[in-house]
Amino acid sequence: MTRTAERTKGRAGRLTRLMPAGPSTAARTPFVLLVVLLLAGGLISLLLLNSALNEGSFRLSKLKRETTELTDEQQALQRDVDSYSQPDALERRARQLGMVPGGNPAFLNPDGTVRGVPERATAGPSPAVAPTPEANATTAPAEPSAAAPAPTATSTTPPPTSPGR
């Protein structure tokens, strides 16, 4: 080393003598340790972030599947409601409950007079369901007989719940 110092003259020679001759490992150790810790922390945080994203993805797919199932169920229920609210289905259910179609309506005017001719609703033959011969023999006749008095309108019909228009 002294030969290099002798070769360099002047100011440069003095500076080279001040520098340490061997490699310095003491200054590199904290830096390498810091880099390793930063890399390890980055990898761990990346792993945690990836796990959270996967969990969210599984939850999203589960919610999509539930949404599809609920949409299918809602559509099936809507089809049921539509089939029950068709006019022929309503008429068939009303006849099963003993209801009959009404005749021409009569209206009350504000002064108390009746507009139209009120008529009693009578049960006619059902166009949708034809009675079988066995059913006619076991059931009573649908029309009231001449000997039996006809029920009054006040005893069979409930009072109206809304004002007439």
Side-chain angles (χ1 to χ4, degrees), residues 28-108:
R28 288 187 185 171
T29 306
F31 177 73
V32 171
L33 187 61
L34 177 69
V35 169
V36 168
L37 286 176
L38 285 175
L39 285 175
L43 287 175
I44 290 173
S45 63
L46 187 63
L47 178 65
L48 292 175
L49 180 65
N50 194 14
S51 297
L53 288 175
N54 282 340
E55 182 181 344
S57 175
F58 287 134
R59 180 168 165 77
L60 180 65
S61 65
K62 178 184 173 188
L63 290 174
K64 281 183 180 179
R65 185 175 58 249
E66 287 178 7
T67 301
T68 303
E69 291 172 0
L70 290 174
T71 301
D72 292 345
E73 183 180 351
Q74 188 262 343
Q75 289 175 350
L77 291 173
Q78 187 63 45
R79 280 193 303 271
D80 289 346
V81 167
D82 290 343
S83 69
Y84 288 135
S85 38
Q86 293 175 351
D88 59 338
L90 289 175
E91 179 187 5
R92 188 172 42 252
R93 181 72 178 134
R95 288 197 185 272
Q96 288 174 352
L97 293 173
M99 300 173 80
V100 295
N104 292 330
F107 299 97
L108 288 177

Side-chain angles (χ1 to χ4, degrees), residues 127-146:
V129 180
T132 59
E134 296 85 27
N136 286 340
T138 60
T139 61
E143 297 179 15
S145 64

